[in-house]
Amino acid sequence: MENSYNAKALDFKISTVENQCNLIANQIAAVNFLIDDNTNSVSTQIDQLAVSLGGRLIVMNKNYRIIKDTYTDYQGRYYLSPDTMKVMNGEENKIITYPNGYMQVMMPIVYENSKNDEILGIVMADASVEDVIATRDEIRRQRVLLSAVFIMAGVSLAILFSFLLTRDFKKVEKNLKYIAMGHEDELVEEVGSTEMKTTVKLFNDILSKIQVLEDSRQEFVSNVSHELKTPMTSMKVLADSLLAQEGMPEEVYREFLSDIVEEIDRENEIITDLLSLVKMDKKAAKVDIKPTNINELLEVILKRIKPLAQKRNIEITFESYRPVTAEVDQIKLSLAFSNLIENAVKYNVDDGWIRVSLNADHKYFYVKVADSGVGIPEDCQDQVFERFYRVDKARSRKTGGTGLGLSITRNAILVHKGAIKLHSTEGEGTTFTVRIPLTYRA
């Protein structure tokens, strides 16, 4: 940058001196070198130019005789040198040198009206370049000063940033240690820079999800305990009643034993669903993937469930848009679709309808199960896939549900890297839409 400025400043200085020398040369030629004549002011202009340039002007004629020297009284003497000879002979139209901190410009005085541009003499100007040097030194000094200021500012900002960053890290570290001591329900305070706040927010999101999982785990354990305890309590009450009353009629014994068998069956159903749920866990599930005809799979399920629907005069229709073959675990997927269609029967109205459809594109196949049942309230729709959740507990127990069916269904679909969506209007019916890849991705 400094060198570029020096070059530009020097070029400007040379151009200025050249222009001034050309003007003087033209005036000298116009007065035929009579610069001391009282009829013109050329001599005065030469003196003024020398002062403005901070240097010296010499004018000589074609005989190399000095007719004007603004610095010494050399008028009348001769100045012969290799450079003056080159200019006078027309070998050079200008010569620029730099002796002792000065810039010397030597240019010919040409009589322009002649045919061959006859050279009549030489104008030689010595101009000081101290202003260029001074400006260069000032720029250099300012550059050093600015560099020092920038370095000091950079160091100060680095120290400040380091202090703030360390302080924020210490706050986060303190919060993490507090959480590590067992206060998992606490969150880390969001402090520091935007990046640090983003990181802390992500960490808090993880903590929140962990807390939700922990709450879900505790609720699951509580629900399992309750669900398993309820049939056992009923069986104990029935057994105690039998033991407390001797000589009861056979039909009473049969009734009590029949109730006990029902509770045993209910206990077995809960345990079976729990085992199915564990097997469907997408992290631990072992899958037996085989190419399967989905059309036939659904037809087999519907054939088994239709007798249950006919008892309540519920019409089941199946619409297949095209043959579909996909890589799936047939047992797990059968359980998922069975749960959806059985629920459509259980929570339907008498004389209702169920529509099952199958479609596919180049990447997925889609199964839709729609019914005319009681529907699911909007505030319950986000929870129906949770374990043991029942929209209507009384109705669920009456229909024999364990509250695990939809959770098992969702896990079976997730094992296949699929997705399930729910759309329902209370009192009008429910539609479940399942999307599963045609090709299994491990």
Side-chain angles (χ1 to χ4, degrees):
M1 176 180 176
E2 181 182 325
N3 292 334
S4 175
Y5 170 79
N6 287 339
K8 290 180 180 179
L10 200 56
D11 287 344
F12 180 76
K13 186 82 173 181
I14 292 172
S15 177
T16 301
V17 174
E18 285 181 6
N19 291 335
Q20 295 292 340
C21 287
N22 274 326
L23 290 174
I24 291 297
N26 291 334
Q27 292 187 45
I28 292 172
V31 298
N32 198 19
F33 284 79
L34 298 175
I35 58 178
D36 290 323
D37 194 346
N38 293 330
T39 61
N40 63 68
S41 60
V42 175
S43 179
T44 303
Q45 292 181 37
I46 292 173
D47 291 331
Q48 291 175 350
L49 178 58
V51 172
S52 67
L53 294 177
R56 174 186 184 184
L57 251 72
I58 296 175
V59 179
M60 64 184 75
N61 60 19
K62 61 182 178 180
N63 297 320
Y64 299 99
R65 182 171 176 272
I66 298 174
I67 61 173
K68 178 68 175 179
D69 185 349
T70 62
Y71 188 70
T72 59
D73 190 16
Y74 283 173
Q75 278 88 343
R77 297 186 181 184
Y78 294 89
Y79 184 10
L80 187 64
S81 70
D83 287 340
T84 57
M85 293 176 66
K86 288 179 182 179
V87 174
M88 197 71 75
N89 294 331
E91 297 175 13
E92 300 284 351
N93 62 353
K94 66 179 176 181
I95 293 178
I96 302 172
T97 55
Y98 301 93
N100 302 322
Y102 277 80
M103 175 182 65
Q104 189 177 80
V105 178
M106 194 178 297
M107 301 180 66
I109 301 173
V110 180
Y111 185 61
E112 296 180 351
N113 292 328
S114 66
K115 293 182 180 180
N116 298 321
D117 288 342
E118 181 184 358
I119 297 175
L120 303 177
I122 295 175
V123 174
M124 186 170 63
D126 290 342
S128 173
V129 291
E130 289 182 356
D131 54 341
V132 176
I133 296 172
T135 305
R136 179 199 65 190
D137 292 341
E138 178 64 19
I139 290 176
R140 183 179 297 168
R141 187 186 68 80
Q142 291 182 2
R143 186 184 66 179
V144 172
L145 180 62
L146 286 174
S147 298
V149 170
F150 282 128
I151 290 172
M152 291 178 63
V155 171
S156 300
L157 287 174
I159 293 173
L160 177 62
F161 182 75
S162 177
F163 168 75
L164 294 175
L165 189 62
T166 304
R167 183 190 63 180
D168 295 333
F169 269 122
K170 287 181 178 179
K171 285 183 180 180
V172 173
E173 182 183 14
K174 183 179 178 181
N175 287 337
L176 291 175
K177 286 181 178 179
Y178 183 73
I179 293 171
M181 292 171 61
H183 304 278
E184 292 87 357
D185 55 339
E186 297 290 333
L187 297 177
V188 181
E189 181 183 357
E190 295 183 13
V191 295
S193 62
T194 303
E195 291 78 7
M196 180 173 286
K197 286 181 178 179
T198 301
T199 302
V200 171
K201 186 177 183 302
L202 291 173
F203 187 80
N204 284 335
D205 290 342
I206 294 172
L207 287 177
S208 298
K209 290 178 180 178
I210 291 174
Q211 187 59 43
V212 170
L213 289 175
E214 177 61 20
D215 293 342
S216 176
R217 184 189 66 80
Q218 292 180 1
E219 184 179 0
F220 176 68
V221 171
S222 175
N223 288 335
V224 168
S225 300
H226 174 75
E227 293 295 331
L228 292 176
K229 186 177 179 181
T230 300
M232 293 180 67
T233 301
S234 299
M235 286 186 286
K236 187 176 185 307
V237 170
L238 291 169
D240 287 343
S241 299
L242 287 175
L243 291 173
Q245 301 181 33
E246 296 181 1
M248 293 177 60
E250 182 180 347
E251 57 273 14
V252 176
Y253 273 100
R254 286 184 174 275
E255 182 181 351
F256 273 59
L257 289 174
S258 177
D259 291 340
I260 291 174
V261 169
E262 287 182 5
E263 293 300 325
I264 292 173
D265 289 340
R266 175 168 170 74
E267 187 90 1
N268 183 62
E269 183 182 358
I270 294 171
I271 293 172
T272 300
D273 280 354
L274 284 172
L275 291 174
S276 297
L277 190 61
V278 171
K279 291 179 181 179
M280 291 295 178
D281 188 282
K282 64 178 180 178
K283 294 181 180 178
K286 294 181 180 180
V287 291
D288 182 18
I289 301 298
K290 294 179 182 178
T292 302
N293 188 316
I294 305 301
N295 305 71
E296 293 180 359
L297 177 69
L298 288 171
E299 286 173 356
V300 170
I301 294 172
L302 291 172
K303 184 177 180 180
R304 178 176 57 83
I305 296 177
K306 277 185 178 180
L308 298 175
Q310 289 172 354
K311 292 180 180 180
R312 298 173 56 198
N313 198 29
I314 297 174
E315 180 188 13
I316 299 181
T317 59
F318 175 51
E319 185 176 13
S320 175
Y321 291 91
R322 56 182 52 83
V324 178
T325 300
E327 297 176 359
V328 298
D329 184 317
Q330 185 173 342
I331 295 176
K332 289 181 173 58
L333 205 57
S334 294
L335 183 58
F337 292 149
S338 294
N339 283 336
L340 288 179
I341 300 171
E342 285 177 2
N343 279 352
V345 175
K346 289 178 183 178
Y347 301 104
N348 213 322
V349 295
D350 293 341
D351 304 320
W353 51 263
I354 298 172
R355 299 191 182 103
V356 180
S357 64
L358 171 64
N359 203 348
D361 55 27
H362 68 286
K363 192 173 182 180
Y364 299 96
F365 72 88
Y366 305 86
V367 174
K368 185 181 293 186
V369 179
D371 65 57
S372 59
V374 296
I376 301 172
E378 187 175 353
D379 58 348
C380 299
Q381 292 180 14
D382 292 336
Q383 300 167 279
V384 294
F385 294 104
E386 295 178 7
R387 299 163 183 176
F388 292 111
Y389 183 82
R390 295 185 178 91
V391 176
D392 185 341
K393 292 181 174 56
R395 180 180 177 87
S396 296
R397 292 188 185 280
K398 182 179 179 181
T399 56
T402 62
L404 294 172
L406 286 179
S407 183
I408 293 171
T409 298
R410 182 186 62 178
N411 280 18
I413 293 169
L414 292 179
V415 163
H416 288 83
K417 307 297 188 295
I420 181 169
K421 291 184 179 180
L422 160 68
H423 176 75
S424 182
T425 302
E426 192 172 7
E428 295 182 9
T430 302
T431 299
F432 286 94
T433 303
V434 177
R435 185 194 70 185
I436 296 177
L438 292 169
T439 303
Y440 180 76
R441 295 170 296 173

